[in-house]
């Protein structure tokens, strides 16, 4: 057995309100759902981006919880990469500059393909890259 795709990816943040503003207003993602103080869920293409309050997700579910999601979380800056064509990366760069979001790094990979990196309000590394960096 081999998984066919990644359905959801998660990042952990310290400020859900700042994350909601960033991922909706800057990145334009559609908010699917939220629980104040705990999480935000965003649609991204065929997948879902989960944004969690890291401290809240460390708490195990109550014994009578309807959804028994096990505790999870991480410490430190996470990383997420959005797929973007070469033309989209140019447009993302201009869009991010208009939004006053600093480009932390930008380069061409040795095997081909371009990436740009920014930070979200909690310090997570957010990348936009051509899928060909992975031969896709």
């Amino acid at each position: 057995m081999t998984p066919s795709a990644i359905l959801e990816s998660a990042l952990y943040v310290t400020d859900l309100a700042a994350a909601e503003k960033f991922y909706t207003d800057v990145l334009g993602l559609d908010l699917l759902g939220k629980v104040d103080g705990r999480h935000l869920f965003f649609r991204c293409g065929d997948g879902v981006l989960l944004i969690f309050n890291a401290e809240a997700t460390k708490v195990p579910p109550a014994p009578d919880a309807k959804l028994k999601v096990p505790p999870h979380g991480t410490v430190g800056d996470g990383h997420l990469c959005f797929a973007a064509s070469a033309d989209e990366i140019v447009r993302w760069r201009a869009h991010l500059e208009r939004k006053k979001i600093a480009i932390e790094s930008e380069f061409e990979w040795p095997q081909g393909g371009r990436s740009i990196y920014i930070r979200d309000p909690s310090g997570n590394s957010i990348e936009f890259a051509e899928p060909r960096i992975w031969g896709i």
Side-chain angles (χ1 to χ4, degrees):
M1 294 293 301
T2 302
S4 62
I6 294 173
L7 178 62
E8 58 190 32
S9 295
L11 290 174
Y12 297 85
V13 301
T14 54
D15 184 336
L16 283 171
E20 182 174 358
K21 184 171 177 49
F22 178 82
Y23 286 95
T24 57
D25 295 353
V26 175
L27 298 190
L29 296 179
D30 293 326
L31 185 65
L32 289 176
K34 75 185 210 178
V35 171
D36 288 335
R38 189 175 191 288
H39 66 251
L40 305 163
F41 296 162
F42 295 95
R43 168 74 61 211
C44 184
D46 290 335
V48 177
L49 173 59
L50 312 174
I51 305 289
F52 290 109
N53 170 338
E55 291 304 311
T57 60
K58 291 178 185 176
V59 178
D64 62 343
K66 183 177 178 181
L67 301 173
K68 296 189 184 296
V69 177
H72 53 84
T74 188
V75 176
D77 302 338
H79 172 73
L80 182 71
C81 181
F82 293 104
S85 69
D87 289 341
E88 288 171 332
I89 289 174
V90 170
R91 293 196 315 268
W92 271 114
R93 189 178 206 296
H95 171 75
L96 294 165
E97 287 174 349
R98 281 192 304 277
K99 295 283 189 176
K100 308 265 191 273
I101 304 296
I103 305 294
E104 183 176 35
S105 185
E106 179 175 5
F107 57 89
E108 183 85 20
W109 289 90
Q111 70 274 24
R114 190 156 199 77
S115 285
I116 60 173
Y117 291 80
I118 61 173
R119 294 282 169 171
D120 78 2
S122 289
N124 290 302
S125 174
I126 306 299
E127 178 184 8
F128 297 85
E130 293 178 73
R132 67 187 177 122
I133 70 171
W134 291 108
I136 299 171

